[in-house]
Amino acid sequence: MPTAERGVVGYACGGCGHSWSRPVEVDLDVYDTVRVDLSEETLYGTVRQVEEHRVQVLDASSGRQLWVERWRVILY
């Protein structure tokens, strides 16, 4: 769940009740290696384009390019 106004992403474990947060990546550049946490899968790839609220990533395993919200991207 993004909390854009604070620049952090919050997580909560439904099983144990533990919660934690991490900052949204602000210093992403083209060719950075990243992890992308999607609701249905986790991808690893390379940044191709960076915009204010989204990032285009080249998926290392499938070769597909996709746009994702910046808060889903973690610099790897």
Side-chain angles (χ1 to χ4, degrees), residues 9-54:
V9 178
Y11 296 90
C13 174
C16 70
H18 181 73
S19 63
W20 64 98
S21 63
R22 66 166 178 81
V24 174
E25 301 289 351
V26 293
D27 59 347
L28 292 171
D29 289 316
V30 174
Y31 304 121
D32 281 346
T33 301
V34 295
R35 183 178 94 196
V36 180
D37 289 334
L38 301 174
S39 54
E40 64 279 355
E41 64 184 323
T42 298
L43 306 174
Y44 296 88
T46 306
V47 172
R48 291 298 183 211
Q49 293 185 53
V50 179
E51 293 183 355
E52 184 177 356
H53 297 289
R54 66 184 191 154

Side-chain angles (χ1 to χ4, degrees), residues 59-73:
D59 181 9
S61 62
S62 71
R64 68 183 169 146
Q65 290 190 28
L66 64 152
W67 285 99
V68 296
E69 296 101 343
R70 183 183 284 263
W71 67 268
R72 294 185 176 275
V73 178

